[in-house]
Amino acid sequence: MTPDKWVRIWNERLPDVPLVLTQVPAAEAAGVLLGGDADAGLVRLPVDRTALSAIPLYAETTVVLVPKDHLVTAADEVSVGDIAEEIVLHPLDDVLDWERLPGRPALERPATTADAVELVAAGIGVLLVPLSLARLHHRKDLTYRTVTDAPESSVALSWPEDAHTDRVEDFIGIVRGRTVNSTRGRQPEPARSKGGRAEGAPSARGKPAAGKAGGRTGGAAGGKTGGKQTGSARRGTGGSHRGASGGKGKGGGRGGRPRQR
């Protein structure tokens, strides 16, 4: 993930609330979120929807990673059939959902994608990965080509079902392109009576003074690091203060009698 734009917008809108991103392996992302080490994460689907909320963002192109002098580099794009005779490495942390892996299998499965990249560089085989992982593991002696008929990896913004805070909603809004004044997803304002006073607020005679509205403040800290990279933003701490302002009520005399004009 390269969420630089979102981080920049966060820093512009909420300069007093630090946002820290870390990288975690795709297989560990759900545990980081459910363990409270991060408030929200950019994860690879699928995730457990009974415990985590998720907003799908996009499906990522799959590429084949090969040495620079490999035959497939003669074309801009290839199909699964074009690598049918190749040894295709299948790391244990693979994020692609294959019904049947193409090509010929290697004698052993590499433990990680990073290990598989080293084997590609050694001429042992080729590797199919999402485009972002090919870029993450960039080497001068390797290149990649898009595989047109390979499964794709979907990326989503996710957070724990029971931890949908206003700060998480702020980040959701930034990712989804909402304006700074949008209130979508935040706690609604108290309902108001016909006289303009917030329900449950004390009544006041005459023209009441407006209450001061406050926002929650807090810090943010990072999660843990890893391989199939997904960003995670860790929660900060802080309190909140909200004031209510009353409207103008209809005038009345003592004992409920109408005033004389």
Side-chain angles (χ1 to χ4, degrees):
M1 293 297 302
T2 53
D4 298 348
K5 176 183 177 181
W6 300 331
V7 175
R8 176 179 53 78
I9 296 173
W10 177 281
N11 290 335
E12 291 171 354
R13 294 184 183 180
L14 300 161
D16 297 328
V17 185
L19 176 68
V20 178
L21 298 181
T22 63
Q23 293 179 332
V24 299
E28 296 178 13
V32 169
L33 294 173
L34 294 174
D37 294 322
D39 288 311
L42 299 162
V43 304
R44 294 191 184 276
L45 296 177
V47 295
D48 181 2
R49 292 300 186 97
T50 64
L52 295 171
S53 295
I55 300 174
L57 300 177
Y58 60 87
E60 194 172 358
T61 300
T62 297
V63 300
V64 58
L65 193 65
V66 296
K68 279 195 170 181
D69 58 356
H70 197 280
L71 289 176
V72 302
T73 61
D76 293 331
E77 296 179 338
V78 298
S79 68
V80 167
D82 293 325
I83 56 174
E85 300 302 318
E86 300 288 338
I87 293 177
V88 177
L89 302 166
H90 190 202
L92 295 175
D93 60 358
D94 184 21
V95 297
L96 297 174
D97 186 17
W98 294 100
E99 290 185 7
R100 181 178 180 276
L101 193 70
R104 296 183 293 140
L107 295 177
E108 295 182 4
R109 293 184 64 181
T112 66
T113 297
D115 293 335
V117 171
E118 293 294 330
L119 295 175
V120 173
I124 304 299
V126 302
L127 176 65
L128 288 102
V129 290
L131 177 58
S132 64
L133 292 185
R135 290 173 173 168
L136 175 69
H137 296 287
H138 171 72
R139 291 175 54 121
K140 291 182 178 180
D141 54 346
L142 300 180
T143 189
Y144 57 83
R145 290 293 184 270
T146 299
V147 183
T148 57
D149 54 352
E152 297 177 324
S153 177
S154 295
V155 174
L157 174 62
S158 182
W159 63 93
E161 282 272 6
D162 58 356
H164 191 158
T165 65
D166 279 350
R167 286 295 175 245
V168 169
E169 189 60 41
D170 287 334
F171 193 67
I172 293 171
I174 289 171
V175 171
R176 304 200 85 173
R178 295 178 196 158
T179 64
V180 67
N181 295 321
S182 173
T183 59
R184 182 179 177 186
R186 300 183 71 85
Q187 294 298 321
E189 292 295 325
R192 295 187 178 276
S193 64
K194 291 182 179 179
R197 181 168 54 86
E199 292 183 0
S203 60
R205 228 181 246 140
K207 184 177 180 181
K212 295 182 180 179
R216 183 181 299 171
T217 60
K224 298 187 173 93
T225 61
K228 284 177 185 57
Q229 314 301 339
T230 56
S232 61
R234 189 175 175 188
R235 69 172 55 119
T237 59
S240 62
H241 173 78
R242 188 184 298 274
S245 61
K248 292 183 179 179
K250 295 182 179 179
R254 292 183 180 178
R257 298 174 183 170
R259 291 179 178 173
Q260 299 294 326
R261 297 201 175 199

